[in-house]
Amino acid sequence: MGPGGAPPPACHKLLGDAVRVGARLRWRADFDWAGLRITADAVARHGAHPWRMTAADYTAALDEGGSTPLTGPPAASPWDPQLARAMQATGSTVME
């Protein structure tokens, strides 16, 4: 992985090639600001479909415990705007 857990260029090339021949990508990342940015990038670059990346999924993960404080600059979650709002409201990160 690249900086902040972002996939490196070689990974994006492989994913792009896979999509061009018909693959459909399902994307999952951490519930932190970097995870939202990485997911939004995968959606924009490759038409990926976020998998288990909704506000409801986040809330369920919080209920299981193990969260840490959310830090860094906020990010958007265009596939589910409620997700970024919920994360901002709780101030908690949940790792995969």
Side-chain angles (χ1 to χ4, degrees):
M1 287 294 166
C11 179
H12 283 295
K13 177 169 181 353
L14 177 66
L15 292 172
D17 291 347
V19 168
R20 278 187 285 286
V21 297
R24 292 183 297 169
L25 302 179
R26 304 286 184 251
W27 201 269
R28 172 94 172 105
D30 295 330
F31 288 116
D32 64 359
W33 298 132
L36 296 190
R37 284 185 192 86
I38 291 166
T39 301
D41 184 56
V43 169
R45 280 189 195 213
H46 307 296
H49 300 277
W51 177 70
R52 298 187 66 196
M53 290 291 294
T54 66
D57 296 318
Y58 172 71
T59 301
L62 277 178
D63 290 344
E64 293 177 19
S67 65
T68 58
L70 186 59
T71 60
S77 53
W79 63 93
D80 182 359
Q82 286 295 99
L83 173 56
R85 282 186 224 131
M87 289 171 59
Q88 183 75 42
T90 65
S92 295
T93 293
V94 179
M95 304 311 264
E96 269 191 284

